[in-house]
Amino acid sequence: MYPVNPRADEILGLKCYSSVEEIPDRIDLAVILVPYSSVIDVVKECIKKGARGFVVISGGFREAGREDLERELVHEVRKAGGRLIGPNCQGINNPHAGLCASWPLIRKSGPVAVISQSGTIGAYMEMNCEFLGISKFIALGNKADVDEIDLLEYLAEDDETGVVSLYMEGTRDGRRFMDAVEKCSRRKPVVILKGGTTEAGRESIKSHTGTLAGRDEVYDAAFRKAGAIRASSLEEFLDFTLALSFYGPRKIEEVVVITSSGGCGILASDAIETRGMKLKRIDDKIERLKKEMPDFVVLRNPLDLTGSAYAELYDKAMEIIGQADAYLLIFGDPIPGAFDVVKKHRDKTIFVSYLGGGNVEKEEVEKFRNAGFPVFPTPERAVNGMHAVRTYWRMLNKQ
Amino acid sequence: MYPVNPRADEILGLKCYSSVEEIPDRIDLAVILVPYSSVIDVVKECIKKGARGFVVISGGFREAGREDLERELVHEVRKAGGRLIGPNCQGINNPHAGLCASWPLIRKSGPVAVISQSGTIGAYMEMNCEFLGISKFIALGNKADVDEIDLLEYLAEDDETGVVSLYMEGTRDGRRFMDAVEKCSRRKPVVILKGGTTEAGRESIKSHTGTLAGRDEVYDAAFRKAGAIRASSLEEFLDFTLALSFYGPRKIEEVVVITSSGGCGILASDAIETRGMKLKRIDDKIERLKKEMPDFVVLRNPLDLTGSAYAELYDKAMEIIGQADAYLLIFGDPIPGAFDVVKKHRDKTIFVSYLGGGNVEKEEVEKFRNAGFPVFPTPERAVNGMHAVRTYWRMLNKQ
């Protein structure tokens, strides 16, 4: 790595060069963050040094009305046989290779790939998925050269990537985009958050990245047809991504809810039915549950352990009820030992929501995160995750 | 306060009595947490000591099939001219009076009243609204005597309460309930989260608090007619409550968005239009903005300060744009000084979303919270809050 800046001798302990020309070596990749008017000159210097990969973080191109400058930039890169990410973007991150040419600095490698036409939305996803690990982050910016289609094609083949999460504002070639989504989603889930669902949003897009957004109904139908899983908000985008990264596709039709909070059990029941799933009937287990569980437990699904719940009761209940498509465990009180119980039942599909638990909650959630296990902050958001996992399974199995 | 427990001499530094009879004084309020089979005996003892207020935390009554026991409990209390909260509930909290007969221990007094048929949902709200301050928390439990109707009537008149947030599963008297909501919401906003929107949810309610839930469409129409603001998820319940507590009713039709993140500006634009509001036209300010803002700023609404944003730009922009129904400031990068800028413009209606900002974000959000100012974790959730504030204004002004 060779930092270049005319006003510094050293950056983060590395010798700093005053120009690209001075670098005593060939370059593979140039990450450029200089005023827009100097970008093309710097690109040319880098090409002379052998660079073919370019990440242009600087803005001031098409989004600022300088289409010509952007075309010239792409022309220079392509003429040399290179490829360009950006301009007007937040860079790239590849923790598997120890390369973070972006911010924030996220080091943990794992299955989550994030492609984002917005730096902030990308950073939000990276930060909130870091405990699972990131495979690649690519900020699209103005996508003057490399776009989401190239990246979907690339990530489809990338063994380090388990899930592709894409925030997009539009695409230039609907047909190629759909093909890329379809191919990728046959191998790994593609979660999409699309900005510009309304007229106001589409107007805003024009000045953000200059993309023509097109009608939302068209995108919606295309996403569905191509097998993408579409999120309707930033938080849903996160919930879908976390769940698919951790669980992958699973058949989830019937869910068992075990809760310390009756009210949260009801919110979960509503969310489960709204998402087209069912509460599993557990009539044949009631007799044994009655015999082996304390008096205060409400014997149905949702199984309400009430505020007197302790971790061993979740354990016992799962032991008795046995296999189910999925469990949703709601810890609605400060219940220590939650993580250990879930770990013990790792043969089951268990979604966890922890809320209302003060310091005990903080400690338990920390244990889950350290183990790379997603915990959802409300029952409804856990069901969001379940929905994504189910939707992807149904897509793969054409149901 | 007189703790009573036969197995302790002292509890939290207070002398502990082995029976109610031994207490050397009259009692006003009895908080009872003994096995269900002893509750009625304890109630009788407390009545002899003068108690007329009862909070029964113990479960084991109607929700466990013991309707008779519950009826007897109510009978004993009423015979003495008393009132009862619970049984099967998480108690009450009144920080203004320094009385917390519930958990978690929340001490900060303020405008938020929470009535909840679920202890966990109540605790979630208390914890997340504590920075604004709590006026009252009442867990309804089985509401054998005091119910949401009594409490709405009481809180309507309570000067310490600015907003009433109600989690409910059903009501016994639809007409009286609607009257109570209508009367209360004329004086202060009533936010309602209702469990049991689906068949699965309604089935779960039966065994939680034994309430008959009734069809959701009927509730929905009734809420609307009576002027309640209905939340569709636990997080929305929180967002609505925070916003109404802080802003009260305000006319919000046209919004100015100032953002460091183009993508988040687009998500905000979509949310604003989806909720029936508009982005304010700022054509007449563009000339001055162009003159006084740096080159990189994208001059429209949403005003995109880009990743190069710093706090003074938000200040400057608001100074130039001037009055608007509402501002949404999105800090999508680690931007110090956010709180100071917002404080300076306290004559304006400003909603804040802060995300993607690491440690700087933590410090800034802490400053906002210490000042009792709500910060929303995503642009969409800030727009949730805006929606509630607008809806309440429109209700009061019959629009």
Side-chain angles (χ1 to χ4, degrees):
Chain A
M1 183 155 74
Y2 303 105
V4 179
N5 187 302
R7 284 192 297 272
D9 295 326
E10 202 183 280
I11 291 178
L12 294 174
L14 293 170
K15 178 177 160 43
C16 185
Y17 298 84
S18 62
S19 74
V20 172
E21 213 186 335
E22 278 177 32
I23 298 174
D25 206 343
R26 273 182 63 89
I27 316 169
D28 298 314
L29 172 72
V31 180
I32 299 174
L33 179 49
V34 299
Y36 69 87
S37 51
S38 313
V39 167
I40 292 179
D41 289 343
V42 172
V43 163
K44 286 178 182 167
E45 285 174 44
C46 293
I47 288 171
K48 276 190 207 147
K49 283 281 175 184
R52 293 299 177 263
F54 292 89
V55 176
V56 178
I57 293 175
S58 319
F61 295 83
R62 183 157 40 97
E63 88 286 1
R66 299 190 187 89
E67 286 88 353
D68 288 355
L69 202 67
E70 188 164 304
R71 259 195 296 273
E72 196 186 331
L73 170 63
V74 175
H75 177 74
E76 289 300 332
V77 170
R78 291 219 175 128
K79 204 171 65 182
R83 298 301 304 264
L84 164 78
I85 286 177
N88 185 30
C89 81
Q90 198 159 318
I92 59 168
N93 187 15
N94 181 349
H96 289 276
L99 168 73
C100 184
S102 177
W103 66 97
L105 174 58
I106 301 282
R107 296 169 191 270
K108 200 180 158 202
S109 59
V112 182
V114 178
I115 310 171
S116 180
Q117 212 159 342
S118 153
T120 296
I121 292 173
Y124 175 87
M125 291 298 283
E126 276 199 288
M127 285 190 284
N128 284 293
C129 297
E130 186 178 13
F131 75 99
L132 285 169
I134 304 298
S135 73
K136 309 282 184 298
F137 164 68
I138 311 103
L140 290 170
N142 292 2
K143 48 184 187 176
D145 178 28
V146 171
D147 67 5
E148 66 288 340
I149 301 173
D150 302 307
L151 291 166
L152 283 164
E153 286 170 353
Y154 167 72
L155 292 170
E157 308 286 329
D158 177 35
D159 290 334
E160 286 161 353
T161 294
V163 171
V164 180
S165 291
L166 167 63
Y167 167 71
M168 67 185 293
E169 297 175 358
T171 191
R172 273 186 219 108
D173 188 336
R175 176 134 319 265
R176 278 189 58 224
F177 173 72
M178 269 186 70
D179 286 348
V181 170
E182 202 174 333
K183 262 180 213 142
C184 190
S185 61
R186 253 182 254 140
R187 305 186 59 166
K188 56 196 76 174
V190 178
V191 182
I192 300 182
L193 176 65
K194 162 100 179 48
T197 53
T198 64
E199 194 48 46
R202 285 191 288 278
E203 280 298 315
S204 308
I205 284 175
K206 279 188 203 160
S207 53
H208 183 220
T209 50
T211 315
L212 276 174
R215 278 182 43 230
D216 192 64
E217 305 73 37
V218 178
Y219 275 99
D220 201 62
F223 292 158
R224 210 176 296 261
K225 183 136 187 264
I229 295 151
R230 184 178 190 175
S232 64
S233 70
L234 186 49
E235 286 186 338
E236 213 179 73
F237 191 39
L238 175 61
D239 296 338
F240 288 2
T241 300
L242 291 176
L244 283 162
S245 303
F246 185 76
Y247 301 96
R250 302 199 185 183
K251 181 178 187 301
I252 304 181
E253 297 302 327
E254 297 186 325
V255 184
V256 176
V257 180
I258 307 179
T259 181
S260 74
S261 157
C264 286
I266 291 160
L267 296 182
S269 303
D270 282 335
I272 286 166
E273 183 168 320
T274 301
R275 289 294 199 179
M277 294 172 282
K278 282 202 175 85
L279 292 168
K280 184 182 168 75
R281 294 195 70 103
I282 55 165
D283 310 38
D284 55 327
K285 312 290 182 187
I286 296 291
E287 205 49 47
R288 209 182 135 201
L289 285 166
K290 194 169 183 173
K291 221 175 289 166
E292 301 186 34
M293 303 293 276
D295 253 13
F296 56 74
V297 173
V298 185
L299 301 168
R300 61 179 311 276
N301 182 15
L303 189 74
D304 185 358
L305 306 177
T306 78
S308 310
Y310 42 91
E312 291 70 24
L313 287 183
Y314 290 84
D315 177 19
K316 190 83 193 158
M318 286 193 285
E319 210 186 288
I320 294 173
I321 298 171
Q323 283 304 322
D325 291 348
Y327 276 90
L328 169 54
L329 303 194
I330 302 171
F331 298 94
D333 293 88
I335 297 172
F339 173 67
D340 289 330
V341 165
V342 172
K343 202 172 69 179
K344 192 178 153 193
H345 289 267
R346 61 164 73 83
D347 59 315
K348 302 187 176 68
T349 298
I350 302 178
F351 287 76
V352 174
S353 178
Y354 210 126
L355 72 164
N359 283 332
V360 173
E361 175 181 333
K362 264 184 215 143
E363 285 162 28
E364 287 295 320
V365 170
E366 195 56 29
K367 284 186 213 165
F368 279 102
R369 289 181 72 95
N370 289 340
F373 193 111
V375 175
F376 296 90
T378 66
E380 294 111 328
R381 292 187 59 186
V383 176
N384 279 352
M386 214 176 259
H387 166 74
V389 164
R390 172 185 190 243
T391 303
Y392 187 52
W393 187 92
R394 287 165 61 96
M395 197 274 291
L396 288 180
N397 292 279
K398 310 213 182 302
Q399 299 201 344
Chain B
M1 183 155 73
Y2 303 103
V4 179
N5 187 301
R7 285 193 297 274
D9 294 324
E10 201 183 283
I11 291 177
L12 295 174
L14 293 170
K15 176 176 161 48
C16 185
Y17 297 83
S18 60
S19 73
V20 173
E21 214 187 333
E22 277 177 32
I23 298 174
D25 206 344
R26 273 182 63 90
I27 316 168
D28 298 313
L29 173 72
V31 180
I32 299 174
L33 179 48
V34 299
Y36 69 87
S37 51
S38 314
V39 167
I40 292 180
D41 289 342
V42 171
V43 164
K44 286 179 183 166
E45 284 173 45
C46 292
I47 288 172
K48 274 190 211 149
K49 282 280 175 184
R52 293 299 176 264
F54 293 89
V55 176
V56 178
I57 294 177
S58 320
F61 295 84
R62 182 158 42 95
E63 88 286 1
R66 298 189 188 90
E67 286 87 354
D68 288 354
L69 202 66
E70 189 164 305
R71 257 195 298 272
E72 196 187 331
L73 170 63
V74 175
H75 178 72
E76 289 299 332
V77 170
R78 290 216 176 132
K79 203 170 66 182
R83 297 303 303 262
L84 164 79
I85 288 177
N88 184 31
C89 81
Q90 199 160 318
I92 60 169
N93 187 14
N94 181 349
H96 288 276
L99 167 74
C100 184
S102 177
W103 65 99
L105 175 58
I106 302 282
R107 294 170 192 270
K108 201 181 158 201
S109 59
V112 183
V114 178
I115 310 171
S116 180
Q117 212 160 344
S118 151
T120 296
I121 293 173
Y124 175 88
M125 292 297 283
E126 275 200 287
M127 286 190 283
N128 284 293
C129 296
E130 186 178 12
F131 75 99
L132 285 170
I134 304 299
S135 72
K136 309 281 183 301
F137 164 68
I138 311 102
L140 291 170
N142 292 3
K143 47 184 186 174
D145 176 28
V146 171
D147 66 6
E148 66 288 340
I149 301 172
D150 302 308
L151 292 166
L152 283 163
E153 287 170 353
Y154 166 72
L155 292 171
E157 308 286 328
D158 177 36
D159 290 335
E160 286 160 352
T161 295
V163 171
V164 180
S165 290
L166 167 63
Y167 168 71
M168 65 184 293
E169 298 175 359
T171 191
R172 275 187 216 109
D173 187 337
R175 177 134 317 264
R176 277 191 59 223
F177 172 72
M178 268 185 71
D179 285 347
V181 170
E182 204 174 329
K183 261 180 215 143
C184 190
S185 63
R186 252 182 255 139
R187 304 186 60 165
K188 55 196 75 173
V190 177
V191 182
I192 299 182
L193 176 65
K194 161 102 181 49
T197 54
T198 64
E199 195 48 47
R202 284 190 289 278
E203 281 298 316
S204 308
I205 284 175
K206 279 188 207 161
S207 53
H208 183 222
T209 49
T211 315
L212 275 174
R215 279 181 45 229
D216 193 64
E217 303 74 34
V218 177
Y219 275 100
D220 202 61
F223 292 159
R224 211 176 296 259
K225 185 135 184 266
I229 296 151
R230 184 179 190 174
S232 64
S233 71
L234 186 50
E235 286 186 338
E236 216 179 71
F237 190 40
L238 175 61
D239 297 339
F240 288 2
T241 301
L242 292 176
L244 283 163
S245 303
F246 185 75
Y247 301 95
R250 301 198 186 185
K251 181 177 186 301
I252 305 181
E253 295 303 325
E254 298 188 323
V255 184
V256 175
V257 180
I258 307 179
T259 180
S260 74
S261 157
C264 286
I266 291 160
L267 297 183
S269 304
D270 283 334
I272 286 166
E273 182 167 322
T274 301
R275 291 294 201 177
M277 293 170 282
K278 281 202 177 84
L279 293 167
K280 183 182 169 74
R281 295 194 71 102
I282 55 165
D283 309 40
D284 55 326
K285 313 290 184 187
I286 296 292
E287 204 49 47
R288 209 183 134 198
L289 285 167
K290 194 169 184 174
K291 222 175 287 168
E292 301 186 31
M293 303 292 279
D295 254 13
F296 55 76
V297 173
V298 185
L299 301 168
R300 61 179 312 276
N301 181 14
L303 188 75
D304 185 359
L305 307 176
T306 79
S308 309
Y310 42 92
E312 291 70 24
L313 288 183
Y314 290 85
D315 178 19
K316 191 83 193 156
M318 285 193 286
E319 209 185 290
I320 295 172
I321 298 170
Q323 283 304 323
D325 291 348
Y327 276 90
L328 169 55
L329 303 193
I330 302 171
F331 299 94
D333 292 88
I335 297 172
F339 173 68
D340 289 331
V341 165
V342 172
K343 203 172 66 176
K344 191 178 153 192
H345 289 267
R346 59 165 77 82
D347 59 316
K348 302 188 176 68
T349 298
I350 302 179
F351 288 76
V352 173
S353 177
Y354 209 126
L355 71 166
N359 283 332
V360 174
E361 176 182 331
K362 261 181 219 147
E363 285 162 28
E364 287 295 321
V365 170
E366 194 56 27
K367 282 185 215 167
F368 279 102
R369 289 180 72 93
N370 289 340
F373 194 111
V375 175
F376 296 90
T378 67
E380 294 111 327
R381 291 188 58 186
V383 177
N384 280 351
M386 215 176 261
H387 166 73
V389 165
R390 172 185 190 244
T391 303
Y392 187 53
W393 188 91
R394 286 164 62 97
M395 197 277 288
L396 288 181
N397 293 277
K398 312 217 180 299
Q399 299 205 343

